[in-house]
Amino acid sequence: MKISIVGATGYTGAELLRILATHPEAEILYITSESQPGTAINEIYPHLTKFYTNKLVSMADLETIAAESQVIFIGLPHGHAMEVGRKATAINPKVKIIDLGADYRFKNHAVYEQWYKLPHTHKEAQAIYGLTELNRTKVKEASIIGNPGCYTTASILALAPLVKEKLIDVTSIIIDAKSGVSGAGRGLNLGSHFTEVFENIKAYNVAGHRHTPEIESVLGELAGQELIINFTPHLIPVARGILSTCYAKLKDGVSAEAVDEAYNNLYGKEYFIRLLGRGGYPLTKNTRGTNFCDLGWHVDKRTGRVIAISAIDNLVKGASGQAVQNMNVMFNIEEKTGLNNAPLYP
Amino acid sequence: MKISIVGATGYTGAELLRILATHPEAEILYITSESQPGTAINEIYPHLTKFYTNKLVSMADLETIAAESQVIFIGLPHGHAMEVGRKATAINPKVKIIDLGADYRFKNHAVYEQWYKLPHTHKEAQAIYGLTELNRTKVKEASIIGNPGCYTTASILALAPLVKEKLIDVTSIIIDAKSGVSGAGRGLNLGSHFTEVFENIKAYNVAGHRHTPEIESVLGELAGQELIINFTPHLIPVARGILSTCYAKLKDGVSAEAVDEAYNNLYGKEYFIRLLGRGGYPLTKNTRGTNFCDLGWHVDKRTGRVIAISAIDNLVKGASGQAVQNMNVMFNIEEKTGLNNAPLYP
Amino acid sequence: MKISIVGATGYTGAELLRILATHPEAEILYITSESQPGTAINEIYPHLTKFYTNKLVSMADLETIAAESQVIFIGLPHGHAMEVGRKATAINPKVKIIDLGADYRFKNHAVYEQWYKLPHTHKEAQAIYGLTELNRTKVKEASIIGNPGCYTTASILALAPLVKEKLIDVTSIIIDAKSGVSGAGRGLNLGSHFTEVFENIKAYNVAGHRHTPEIESVLGELAGQELIINFTPHLIPVARGILSTCYAKLKDGVSAEAVDEAYNNLYGKEYFIRLLGRGGYPLTKNTRGTNFCDLGWHVDKRTGRVIAISAIDNLVKGASGQAVQNMNVMFNIEEKTGLNNAPLYP
Amino acid sequence: MKISIVGATGYTGAELLRILATHPEAEILYITSESQPGTAINEIYPHLTKFYTNKLVSMADLETIAAESQVIFIGLPHGHAMEVGRKATAINPKVKIIDLGADYRFKNHAVYEQWYKLPHTHKEAQAIYGLTELNRTKVKEASIIGNPGCYTTASILALAPLVKEKLIDVTSIIIDAKSGVSGAGRGLNLGSHFTEVFENIKAYNVAGHRHTPEIESVLGELAGQELIINFTPHLIPVARGILSTCYAKLKDGVSAEAVDEAYNNLYGKEYFIRLLGRGGYPLTKNTRGTNFCDLGWHVDKRTGRVIAISAIDNLVKGASGQAVQNMNVMFNIEEKTGLNNAPLYP
């Protein structure tokens, strides 16, 4: 498979390269960077030494990149990705696009435009939301994938069974999520400065984080009704990992066993979802470096609430791993190809 | 003030000694340990070198300890503290007791016995719950203090104004709390092993943590009605710090300004409570090593919920600092004596 | 390849299982544990869920284990491994033994007995020291491997070219090494308690660490003369990683280029050794989860010293990865089989 | 004491404010910042809320600042501090200057100019090197202090007794130092980005760090001869703390007891130096937030070397704490005023 990565110097780009380094079908054609064209990728990321000798190129030559590639991963800021997607598919209508940003995640462009404060410039794209476990059939046929956000992957996977089987009051959903710092990327800012993050716990973007409408859209579709939620992200001094703690009111008469069944029904055959069962406690550490999502749930009889907890590696299942999973599905390769390593523990 | 500490080799004991080292009125008489009597305290805690030369003694000689002390801090496991409290007050009815554990925290002993699986053996004690800001008047007259738990201090302080002024639906309270590892103490177990905790995020004791009934009792009293909550603790790889993110449904018609007022009314004159205001984000780092509780709150108009966030140092305001604050109140000393240092940042 | 692991519940055992999970030739027959026989391995290590369903067995049945296995990895404390080695090879003379502990590391048993305070009970074993890059030819023919220690692997690899080509005064060697906490294992002790390790830096076992004689033996052999060194280990609050900073006096007239050449001569064709060159700075992070050893060196003209720095993942190149590398060599499999993943960065 | 801080928005400035917040004699007049004049200090550093209400001012008005202040602390980059020092002392010859940077640390300006690549513009200043324990008498009379660097404080304190009593071969000194990240300041760069530092260990500036000539100058003066050393700094993922591991060859016939005596002679009466004795292991954690330097030393009879280890908090004894200690000495205040708090442990 001939692969190019447009915008590869961020952490999701590096993570794609890490994963694809051992993917037996992957051949990396072009890796682009506007800031450091001409530089060898392993000068920027010395950990990739012995795996790549590619030099970064500018995406100015999208003509060539799009023409020669079978699949293009896009790791650009929102707003830029849809431009590349639009042009690349015009150049080569057969090329598959997997965008790791937000540009192709929303069916309803108005929601995108409202939360991202940008006009959408590629509305005619038949983009598919790439939460593989929920959308596999559509992903298989897709030519453009909006790869889900990290918080959204963790949160939606935790709640989907409950929403789908209508076990909860969807007006009662509260998601309290905790993320490692790699989710904030490699760009410099005081919020990611070591001494500021270390030995610290904080919430941010309460009631305003852009993953909120993404979660609402997908869960709303599953529920068959619009819904609004509370989503609160927190920054935790770890490099990788998201833990999403989700609260909802069970509908009257819903038993704990019905909850168990909902999880087993939806995920019982999924390789990358490991069900820890009722009473189970996912650890982000148990998913590090892998595409797994670990899930546990709890039913509190005193309050009538269900508490569902998910753990993922934000850079893998929450970004580049799921992107490769989607690629495998799109190209009819065994879904876990290149993704079947055991977690790095401890 | 002649002070003894019974059960001093845990982290709360060490923290008491750290704080009292610069308390101008404090004189440490006896420090007890059953496991290492005869050892100098700074052999166990070398950081205290130059501050103490005391040798640990056994509490077998409670007779002397109680007779000579004006105040005894107790840092023993629950069940043991009430025995010491009972005996010490019998020996010396004037001695003040400040228990850092759970034994004296519950007015309703049945709740204690249910959650702690132990008969209460000192029911006649006129114990006062030592959340200083809420109970100052009673603390002033108290002879036995049940010093609040760390999670409970953070959570109650965040929610008290809303509950007291009846701004929220008390059946809707959800508390998602994140704690550093020092809260788990110095006892060895796999859950506090460095490599297990580091680079990890996890929830634990969902719907079953013993701070739940403590929060319910105090908030229930403020509300004037029984209430039940969801409380979920999480373990975060930091040494110190609790961040408590609290969710509740605002009652119809409650404005954001009314919420602001509630916080200002209750805490406007409190030294140890720093109000960051609506939209504010407390950081545990900003409270490290101090008795401060930083508070911020957010009103989500979309969902009608208020999200209140508090940050404390679990070993100070969440344990030993508040214990000293209570001591100061009990002995009519300026409340911030020994506690007025600036946070250790970064 | 039929593989058993005797003593598998420590971190090196878990790491072997992690690596072997994607080794195409590996079939795990028996995994032993004396403390928890009958338990499924993924109950103890949930991160291995989806990779193993093995139940732990007691090594009491060594008869069967040794008879059916082609290779046995031993993860027992020193003193115990040689007993297992002795019995297993008696039962099945064809079985290959790879011991991750110290029992088979010393040619001179007197040195072992002096530093480990134990009589050696398997002196007739023709054990080979498994530092693959230095001993590949012998490893190929070996039936018993003493797999090197973590500090020793890092330190010897950094110094071997200089010693071998006689560029330094071997009486001047000082090794200052820094290790993550996983090197101390999963056993509980205050020294590995999160709150004690976190936000802390310390040295330990100055002039007394047992990796000292191991380094001295191997470097001494390369030098063709006995030598003694200073080796100082430090504990650093990371999970994985060793950085070894090695100092030595260059002999008169040795040029910086001669130093460069020595490294290129010895390691130029080694896959798992990545030479960062003169002036290069290895990062432990760049080796995480891999079998790589990154090497950089510096020549200080002012003082006439060379400073060689190596970085490894202590659990991989410093333990289980090198063990698998040795297995591959012993069984004539491509050396990087199962070990060719890219580092987990960041 | 009327105090101003010029250049206060870095970590050493914030640390000065933290310390001075509880210094009974300190009154903060002016705090300068060129980037954010007009801003309240607690907007930049919210942890200082309740301690300061000062607004930042520009140092453009040095005339006023110098005229009204009794002491000015300078927290500017090198090159800038000497300009401020020159002007301020011209304006007000009585004002005391304590510079936390390098400008006033070198008696031999040529060494400064060679390592810092700048002409020295205030050569007529009678600056004193403010390593209080070694220079107390001179500090007392000084009007300009070059406050020592963090690495240098730790390293010089560890080696001074050995050098002063001529127990070691001064050509054999090797210093391997490990520092937390706060030493790199609050300025943004990839080297202090959380995800790059976390779970990582690395050396940097081998044979080229600017603290090298500072250590050489001071030790050389103590030795009564020029000397050159190897100094290697390492970056460790902690916020605060320096551990300096120092190696030197003992002269023939020097006994371990003579080494002990040298430490006791020089430091036996020093409050801020805590001698852990021969065989002792300093922990950076034991000094956190304090002005203590903990010292231990080891004599390796096999190699004839002494290994001296020191631990400090780089922001306190390694910067702002020692600056305040010097101020106390200069103003004839009890030396530990404002500095006598116990370490924040754990």
Side-chain angles (χ1 to χ4, degrees):
Chain A
M1 211 158 349
K2 293 178 194 307
I3 299 169
S4 293
I5 303 174
V6 172
T9 54
Y11 285 144
T12 53
E15 188 68 358
L16 269 173
L17 290 167
R18 182 185 75 81
I19 294 167
L20 294 172
T22 48
H23 191 295
E25 312 281 335
E27 179 192 353
I28 304 297
L29 291 190
Y30 298 104
I31 310 175
T32 84
S33 161
E34 301 316 295
S35 56
Q36 305 173 75
T39 311
I41 185 69
N42 61 20
E43 278 184 59
I44 295 171
Y45 285 116
H47 71 287
L48 294 175
T49 300
K50 301 253 177 177
F51 295 97
Y52 295 100
T53 53
N54 302 57
K55 289 199 170 165
L56 297 168
V57 299
S58 166
M59 68 177 178
D61 193 13
L62 191 58
E63 198 74 33
T64 309
I65 297 170
E68 299 182 11
S69 303
Q70 291 173 276
V71 56
I72 296 175
F73 292 95
I74 306 179
L76 298 174
H78 64 266
H80 297 268
M82 55 192 170
E83 280 306 291
V84 170
R86 198 168 52 77
K87 289 176 192 162
T89 50
I91 295 163
N92 175 5
K94 285 190 178 166
V95 70
K96 307 279 191 184
I97 302 289
I98 301 175
D99 175 27
L100 286 102
D103 285 1
Y104 293 109
R105 290 180 190 159
F106 292 85
K107 278 191 189 162
N108 185 342
H109 296 118
V111 174
Y112 173 86
E113 296 183 340
Q114 177 194 341
W115 285 78
Y116 288 86
K117 320 275 182 214
L118 272 182
H120 201 286
T121 61
H122 194 197
K123 289 183 178 159
E124 66 282 15
Q126 299 290 322
I128 295 300
Y129 188 71
L131 195 44
T132 330
E133 282 76 11
L134 300 183
N135 271 358
R136 188 175 284 116
T137 318
K138 288 180 183 165
V139 168
K140 211 184 276 279
E141 308 301 326
S143 47
I144 301 185
I145 294 287
N147 209 60
C150 50
Y151 282 126
T152 52
T153 295
S155 304
I156 294 169
L157 288 174
L159 288 164
L162 304 171
V163 170
K164 198 175 171 211
E165 300 208 5
K166 303 192 187 305
L167 305 183
I168 57 172
D169 170 1
V170 295
T171 71
S172 72
I173 296 174
I174 290 173
I175 301 170
D176 189 286
K178 297 93 185 161
S179 175
V181 186
S182 63
R186 211 188 196 199
L188 300 182
N189 66 72
L190 197 59
S192 302
H193 198 61
F194 182 84
T195 28
E196 304 288 321
V197 173
F198 187 67
E199 311 170 36
N200 196 17
I201 314 171
K202 70 167 182 183
Y204 64 101
N205 275 7
V206 169
H209 194 281
R210 284 164 169 169
H211 285 180
T212 311
E214 196 180 325
I215 300 169
E216 289 174 350
S217 300
V218 179
L219 291 184
E221 206 173 325
L222 279 173
Q225 67 176 102
E226 289 207 357
L227 52 80
I228 53 173
I229 63 165
N230 268 107
F231 169 70
T232 309
H234 295 77
L235 191 68
I236 302 297
V238 302
R240 288 166 178 251
I242 284 179
L243 193 87
S244 194
T245 312
C246 307
Y247 302 84
K249 202 86 184 171
L250 284 172
K251 286 186 180 164
D252 283 351
V254 171
S255 70
E257 290 71 25
V259 171
D260 301 350
E261 246 175 75
Y263 282 95
N264 288 317
N265 288 346
L266 192 56
Y267 299 134
K269 293 180 182 165
E270 291 295 342
Y271 182 74
F272 286 120
I273 303 207
R274 300 192 296 193
L275 298 179
L276 310 186
R278 180 151 35 103
Y281 287 104
L283 273 64
T284 58
K285 191 186 272 287
N286 281 338
T287 67
R288 272 207 316 157
T290 73
N291 202 46
F292 291 110
C293 175
D294 282 5
L295 281 179
W297 55 94
H298 301 256
V299 172
D300 185 355
K301 288 191 179 160
R302 293 192 333 137
T303 61
R305 290 201 187 90
V306 58
I307 300 100
I309 309 173
S310 59
I312 61 167
D313 182 323
N314 55 300
L315 290 180
V316 191
K317 184 62 179 170
S320 308
Q322 186 155 246
V324 171
Q325 185 183 6
N326 283 326
M327 179 189 77
N328 290 344
V329 170
M330 293 163 96
F331 285 86
N332 258 310
I333 301 170
E334 155 90 61
E335 193 168 322
K336 58 189 181 187
T337 309
L339 293 167
N340 195 20
N341 58 308
L344 194 70
Y345 181 98
Chain B
M1 214 159 346
K2 293 176 193 309
I3 298 170
S4 293
I5 302 175
V6 172
T9 56
Y11 284 145
T12 52
E15 188 68 358
L16 270 174
L17 289 168
R18 180 184 75 81
I19 294 167
L20 294 172
T22 47
H23 192 294
E25 312 281 334
E27 178 192 354
I28 304 296
L29 291 189
Y30 298 103
I31 310 174
T32 84
S33 161
E34 302 316 295
S35 56
Q36 304 173 74
T39 311
I41 185 68
N42 63 17
E43 279 185 58
I44 295 171
Y45 285 115
H47 70 288
L48 294 175
T49 301
K50 301 256 177 175
F51 296 96
Y52 294 100
T53 52
N54 302 57
K55 289 198 171 166
L56 298 168
V57 300
S58 167
M59 68 176 177
D61 193 14
L62 190 58
E63 196 75 33
T64 310
I65 297 170
E68 300 182 9
S69 304
Q70 290 173 277
V71 56
I72 296 175
F73 291 96
I74 306 179
L76 298 174
H78 64 266
H80 297 269
M82 55 192 169
E83 281 306 292
V84 170
R86 199 168 51 78
K87 289 175 192 162
T89 49
I91 294 163
N92 174 5
K94 286 189 177 167
V95 70
K96 306 280 189 183
I97 302 290
I98 300 175
D99 175 27
L100 286 101
D103 286 1
Y104 292 108
R105 290 180 191 159
F106 292 86
K107 277 191 187 161
N108 185 343
H109 297 117
V111 174
Y112 173 86
E113 295 183 340
Q114 177 194 341
W115 284 79
Y116 287 85
K117 320 279 182 207
L118 271 181
H120 200 287
T121 61
H122 193 197
K123 289 183 178 161
E124 67 281 15
Q126 299 290 323
I128 294 300
Y129 188 72
L131 196 43
T132 330
E133 281 76 11
L134 300 184
N135 272 358
R136 188 175 285 116
T137 318
K138 288 181 182 164
V139 167
K140 213 183 274 280
E141 308 301 326
S143 47
I144 301 185
I145 294 286
N147 208 61
C150 50
Y151 282 126
T152 52
T153 295
S155 304
I156 292 169
L157 288 175
L159 288 163
L162 305 172
V163 170
K164 198 174 170 212
E165 300 208 4
K166 302 192 189 306
L167 304 183
I168 56 171
D169 170 2
V170 294
T171 72
S172 72
I173 296 173
I174 289 174
I175 301 169
D176 189 286
K178 299 90 185 163
S179 174
V181 187
S182 62
R186 212 188 194 198
L188 300 182
N189 66 73
L190 197 57
S192 302
H193 199 61
F194 181 85
T195 29
E196 304 287 322
V197 173
F198 187 67
E199 312 171 35
N200 196 18
I201 314 171
K202 71 168 183 183
Y204 64 100
N205 275 6
V206 170
H209 193 281
R210 283 163 169 170
H211 286 178
T212 311
E214 196 179 323
I215 300 170
E216 290 174 350
S217 300
V218 178
L219 291 184
E221 207 172 324
L222 278 173
Q225 67 176 103
E226 289 207 356
L227 53 80
I228 53 174
I229 62 165
N230 268 106
F231 169 70
T232 309
H234 296 77
L235 191 68
I236 301 298
V238 301
R240 288 166 179 251
I242 283 179
L243 192 87
S244 194
T245 313
C246 307
Y247 302 85
K249 203 84 185 171
L250 285 171
K251 286 187 181 164
D252 283 352
V254 171
S255 70
E257 291 70 26
V259 170
D260 301 351
E261 246 175 76
Y263 282 95
N264 288 318
N265 289 345
L266 193 54
Y267 299 135
K269 293 179 182 165
E270 291 294 342
Y271 182 75
F272 288 119
I273 303 207
R274 300 192 296 194
L275 296 180
L276 311 187
R278 180 149 37 103
Y281 288 104
L283 275 64
T284 57
K285 189 186 275 286
N286 281 339
T287 67
R288 272 206 317 157
T290 72
N291 202 47
F292 291 111
C293 174
D294 282 5
L295 280 179
W297 55 96
H298 302 255
V299 172
D300 185 356
K301 288 190 178 159
R302 293 193 331 136
T303 62
R305 289 198 187 91
V306 59
I307 300 100
I309 309 174
S310 58
I312 61 167
D313 182 323
N314 55 299
L315 291 179
V316 190
K317 184 62 180 171
S320 308
Q322 187 156 246
V324 172
Q325 185 183 4
N326 284 324
M327 179 188 78
N328 290 345
V329 172
M330 293 163 95
F331 285 86
N332 258 309
I333 301 170
E334 155 91 59
E335 192 168 323
K336 58 189 182 185
T337 309
L339 293 166
N340 195 21
N341 58 309
L344 194 69
Y345 181 97
Chain C
M1 210 156 350
K2 293 177 194 306
I3 298 169
S4 292
I5 302 174
V6 172
T9 54
Y11 284 144
T12 54
E15 188 67 359
L16 269 174
L17 290 167
R18 181 184 75 81
I19 293 167
L20 295 172
T22 48
H23 191 295
E25 313 281 335
E27 179 193 353
I28 304 296
L29 290 191
Y30 299 103
I31 310 175
T32 83
S33 161
E34 301 316 295
S35 56
Q36 304 174 75
T39 311
I41 184 69
N42 61 18
E43 280 184 56
I44 295 172
Y45 285 116
H47 70 287
L48 295 176
T49 301
K50 300 255 178 177
F51 296 96
Y52 295 99
T53 53
N54 303 57
K55 289 199 171 165
L56 296 168
V57 298
S58 167
M59 69 175 177
D61 193 13
L62 190 58
E63 197 75 34
T64 310
I65 297 170
E68 299 182 10
S69 304
Q70 291 173 277
V71 55
I72 296 175
F73 291 95
I74 306 179
L76 298 175
H78 64 266
H80 297 268
M82 55 191 169
E83 281 306 291
V84 170
R86 199 168 51 77
K87 288 176 191 162
T89 50
I91 295 163
N92 175 5
K94 284 188 179 169
V95 70
K96 306 279 190 184
I97 301 290
I98 300 175
D99 175 27
L100 286 102
D103 286 2
Y104 293 109
R105 289 180 191 159
F106 292 85
K107 277 193 188 161
N108 184 342
H109 297 118
V111 174
Y112 174 85
E113 296 183 340
Q114 177 194 342
W115 285 78
Y116 288 86
K117 320 276 180 210
L118 271 181
H120 201 288
T121 61
H122 194 197
K123 290 183 178 162
E124 67 281 16
Q126 300 290 321
I128 295 300
Y129 188 71
L131 195 44
T132 330
E133 282 76 10
L134 300 184
N135 272 356
R136 189 175 284 116
T137 317
K138 288 181 182 163
V139 167
K140 211 183 277 277
E141 308 301 326
S143 47
I144 301 186
I145 295 286
N147 209 61
C150 49
Y151 281 125
T152 52
T153 294
S155 303
I156 293 169
L157 287 174
L159 287 164
L162 304 171
V163 170
K164 199 174 170 213
E165 301 208 4
K166 302 192 188 305
L167 305 183
I168 57 171
D169 170 2
V170 294
T171 70
S172 72
I173 297 173
I174 289 173
I175 301 169
D176 190 285
K178 298 91 184 161
S179 174
V181 187
S182 63
R186 212 188 195 198
L188 300 181
N189 65 73
L190 196 58
S192 302
H193 199 62
F194 181 85
T195 27
E196 305 286 324
V197 173
F198 187 67
E199 311 170 35
N200 196 16
I201 314 171
K202 70 168 182 182
Y204 63 101
N205 274 5
V206 169
H209 194 281
R210 284 162 168 171
H211 285 180
T212 311
E214 196 180 325
I215 299 170
E216 289 174 349
S217 300
V218 178
L219 291 184
E221 208 172 323
L222 278 173
Q225 66 176 103
E226 288 208 356
L227 53 79
I228 53 174
I229 61 165
N230 267 106
F231 169 70
T232 309
H234 296 79
L235 191 69
I236 302 297
V238 302
R240 288 167 178 251
I242 283 180
L243 192 87
S244 194
T245 311
C246 307
Y247 302 85
K249 202 87 184 169
L250 284 172
K251 286 187 180 164
D252 283 352
V254 172
S255 69
E257 291 69 26
V259 170
D260 301 351
E261 246 175 76
Y263 282 95
N264 287 318
N265 289 346
L266 192 56
Y267 299 135
K269 293 179 181 165
E270 291 294 341
Y271 182 74
F272 287 120
I273 303 208
R274 300 191 297 194
L275 297 180
L276 310 187
R278 179 146 41 100
Y281 288 104
L283 274 63
T284 58
K285 190 185 273 286
N286 280 338
T287 67
R288 273 208 316 157
T290 73
N291 203 47
F292 291 111
C293 174
D294 284 4
L295 281 179
W297 55 95
H298 301 255
V299 172
D300 185 355
K301 288 190 178 160
R302 294 194 331 136
T303 61
R305 291 201 187 88
V306 58
I307 300 101
I309 309 174
S310 58
I312 61 168
D313 182 323
N314 56 300
L315 291 178
V316 191
K317 184 61 180 171
S320 307
Q322 186 155 248
V324 171
Q325 185 183 4
N326 284 324
M327 179 188 78
N328 290 345
V329 171
M330 293 163 95
F331 284 86
N332 257 310
I333 302 169
E334 154 90 61
E335 193 167 321
K336 58 190 182 185
T337 309
L339 293 167
N340 195 21
N341 58 307
L344 195 70
Y345 181 99
Chain D
M1 212 157 349
K2 293 179 193 306
I3 298 170
S4 293
I5 302 175
V6 172
T9 55
Y11 285 144
T12 52
E15 188 68 358
L16 269 174
L17 290 167
R18 181 185 74 81
I19 293 167
L20 295 172
T22 48
H23 191 295
E25 312 282 334
E27 178 192 354
I28 304 296
L29 290 191
Y30 298 104
I31 311 175
T32 84
S33 160
E34 301 317 295
S35 56
Q36 304 172 77
T39 312
I41 185 68
N42 62 18
E43 279 184 59
I44 295 171
Y45 285 115
H47 70 287
L48 294 176
T49 302
K50 301 253 178 178
F51 296 96
Y52 295 99
T53 53
N54 302 57
K55 289 200 171 164
L56 297 168
V57 299
S58 166
M59 68 176 178
D61 193 13
L62 191 58
E63 197 75 33
T64 310
I65 297 170
E68 300 183 10
S69 304
Q70 291 173 276
V71 56
I72 296 175
F73 291 96
I74 306 178
L76 298 174
H78 63 267
H80 297 268
M82 54 192 171
E83 280 306 292
V84 170
R86 198 167 52 78
K87 289 176 191 162
T89 50
I91 296 163
N92 175 4
K94 284 189 178 167
V95 70
K96 307 279 190 183
I97 302 289
I98 300 175
D99 175 27
L100 286 101
D103 286 1
Y104 292 108
R105 290 180 190 158
F106 291 86
K107 277 193 189 161
N108 184 342
H109 297 118
V111 174
Y112 174 85
E113 296 183 340
Q114 177 194 343
W115 285 79
Y116 287 86
K117 319 278 180 210
L118 272 182
H120 200 288
T121 61
H122 194 197
K123 289 183 177 160
E124 66 282 15
Q126 300 291 323
I128 295 298
Y129 189 71
L131 196 43
T132 330
E133 282 76 10
L134 300 184
N135 272 357
R136 188 175 285 116
T137 318
K138 289 180 182 165
V139 167
K140 212 182 274 278
E141 309 301 326
S143 48
I144 301 186
I145 294 287
N147 209 59
C150 49
Y151 282 126
T152 50
T153 295
S155 303
I156 293 169
L157 288 175
L159 287 163
L162 304 171
V163 170
K164 198 175 170 210
E165 301 209 3
K166 303 192 187 306
L167 304 183
I168 57 171
D169 170 1
V170 294
T171 71
S172 73
I173 296 174
I174 289 173
I175 300 169
D176 189 286
K178 298 91 186 163
S179 174
V181 187
S182 62
R186 211 187 195 198
L188 300 182
N189 65 72
L190 197 58
S192 302
H193 198 62
F194 181 85
T195 28
E196 306 286 323
V197 173
F198 187 66
E199 310 170 37
N200 196 18
I201 315 171
K202 71 167 181 182
Y204 65 100
N205 274 8
V206 169
H209 194 282
R210 283 163 169 172
H211 285 180
T212 310
E214 195 179 326
I215 300 170
E216 289 173 350
S217 300
V218 179
L219 291 184
E221 206 172 326
L222 279 173
Q225 66 176 104
E226 288 208 357
L227 51 80
I228 53 174
I229 61 165
N230 267 106
F231 169 69
T232 308
H234 295 78
L235 191 68
I236 301 298
V238 302
R240 288 166 179 251
I242 283 180
L243 193 86
S244 194
T245 313
C246 307
Y247 302 86
K249 203 84 183 171
L250 285 172
K251 286 187 181 162
D252 283 351
V254 171
S255 70
E257 290 70 25
V259 170
D260 301 352
E261 245 174 77
Y263 282 95
N264 288 319
N265 288 345
L266 193 55
Y267 299 135
K269 293 180 181 164
E270 291 294 340
Y271 182 74
F272 287 120
I273 302 206
R274 300 191 297 192
L275 297 180
L276 310 187
R278 181 150 34 105
Y281 288 104
L283 274 62
T284 57
K285 191 185 272 287
N286 281 340
T287 67
R288 272 207 316 157
T290 72
N291 202 46
F292 291 111
C293 174
D294 283 5
L295 281 179
W297 55 93
H298 301 256
V299 172
D300 185 355
K301 289 190 179 159
R302 291 193 334 133
T303 62
R305 289 200 188 89
V306 58
I307 300 100
I309 309 173
S310 59
I312 61 167
D313 182 323
N314 55 299
L315 291 179
V316 191
K317 184 62 180 169
S320 308
Q322 187 155 247
V324 172
Q325 184 182 3
N326 284 324
M327 178 189 78
N328 291 345
V329 171
M330 293 163 95
F331 285 85
N332 258 311
I333 301 170
E334 154 91 61
E335 191 168 324
K336 58 191 182 183
T337 309
L339 293 166
N340 195 21
N341 59 308
L344 195 69
Y345 180 99

